[in-house]
Amino acid sequence: MYVITGATGALGRLAVESLLTRVPADQVRATGRRIEALEDLAVRGVDVRHADYTDPDSLRAAFAGATRVLFVSGSENGARLPQHRNVVDALVTAGGVELVAYTSILHAQTSDLVLAPEHAATERLLAEAGLPTVLLRNGWYVENFLGALPATIEHGMIGASGEGRFDAATRADFAEAAVATLTGGASAGDVLELGAPGFTRGELAAEIGRAAGRPVTYTDLPAADYAAALTGVGLPEEVAAMLADSDRGAAAGLLTVPGDDLARLLGRPAQPWAQVVEQAVRAALVTP
């Protein structure tokens, strides 16, 4: 039984769909907090169960009989560690788990990004629990940079990453790599730093401009000024601070990958970021 946590989120749902191309539906269990969002999977024969990282009883039920588990990290900054401890405890209680694939962050044990400590601590929890684990240290999603394309095309891009590179890939490629891990592409103990040949923000802005048919500029700011600009357009302060810190980390080289783990898991190159940008810009330009 393959269990995917966080299946009501974008990455988890993509992982379920990828897994269904490899194994029968009756060997797949999709879990999440909003079980109503999984009803269409139940119709297709997938075992659908409620699982909330804050509810240990739901986790124990979700992992009963599990053999291979994709543990998608929680999304609540500052609350991940107690939630993840609940997940690890439930996995231990389940017994019989042959492999856990955990979605961590690049260079988790050495990174000074504000997002890193909770992931590093979770990696240690999994090791201390004796669970057979593959660490999927995912880079940034290309899609993260494309959420406000009309404004970017009109006003340009701002950031604080300087000439730092983001070795980003699509959610779909990260999801497919996770499924490859569960189905034989990796072994317990593997630590995989996942990303694809990436870009600087300047290169990204230029590519958006090329696809849009007009110049798009990139303005580099101090991290504090970038955070202030983000709060100025309505982002919560903690989110703005996290995004600015991520740019600071990129400038320091923390969001690049040293090898080709992602391509190896996929059995092909990751989708080129410029192709993703072009498709997104085309969609943005035809949206009313």
Side-chain angles (χ1 to χ4, degrees), residues 8 12 23 64 72 79 82 97 102-103 111 113 138-139 143 165 173 179 195 200 215-216 222 233 243 270 279:
T8 53
V23 303
V72 177
V97 175
Y102 170 64
T103 61
S111 174
L113 289 177
N138 289 349
E143 293 93 337
R165 304 194 72 79
D173 277 347
V179 167
T200 67
V216 172
V233 295
L243 293 174
Q279 293 170 351

Side-chain angles (χ1 to χ4, degrees), residues 66-162:
T67 51
R68 293 180 170 246
V69 178
L70 175 59
F71 173 10
V72 177
S73 60
S75 59
E76 297 178 54
N77 296 333
R80 285 191 183 93
L81 192 55
Q83 293 179 8
H84 288 182
R85 185 175 288 109
N86 290 338
V87 174
V88 171
D89 289 347
L91 287 168
V92 171
T93 299
V97 175
E98 300 171 356
L99 192 69
V100 178
Y102 170 64
T103 61
S104 189
I105 193 173
L106 288 175
H107 317 297
Q109 296 296 330
T110 57
S111 174
D112 69 353
L113 289 177
V114 297
L115 290 174
E118 289 177 306
H119 289 288
T122 302
E123 291 186 0
R124 292 192 292 270
L125 283 176
L126 289 161
E128 291 163 2
L131 290 164
T133 301
V134 175
L135 298 177
L136 303 174
R137 291 180 173 169
N138 289 349
W140 265 219
Y141 303 142
V142 178
E143 293 93 337
N144 286 352
F145 299 89
L146 305 177
L149 274 177
T152 300
I153 293 168
E154 181 68 24
H155 303 293
M157 176 181 291
I158 61 172
S161 55

Side-chain angles (χ1 to χ4, degrees), residues 3 6 9 13-14 23 41-42 60 74 81 83 89 96 114 116 130 155 158 174 181 185 193 198 228 249 254 275 288:
V3 178
R13 179 59 185 242
L14 287 167
V23 303
L41 292 174
R60 285 189 287 271
L81 192 55
Q83 293 179 8
D89 289 347
V114 297
H155 303 293
I158 61 172
F174 283 124
T181 297
E193 305 280 353
L254 299 178
Q275 184 180 89

Side-chain angles (χ1 to χ4, degrees), residues 107 164-165 248-257:
H107 317 297
R165 304 194 72 79
R248 176 201 61 80
L254 299 178
L255 296 181
T256 60
V257 298

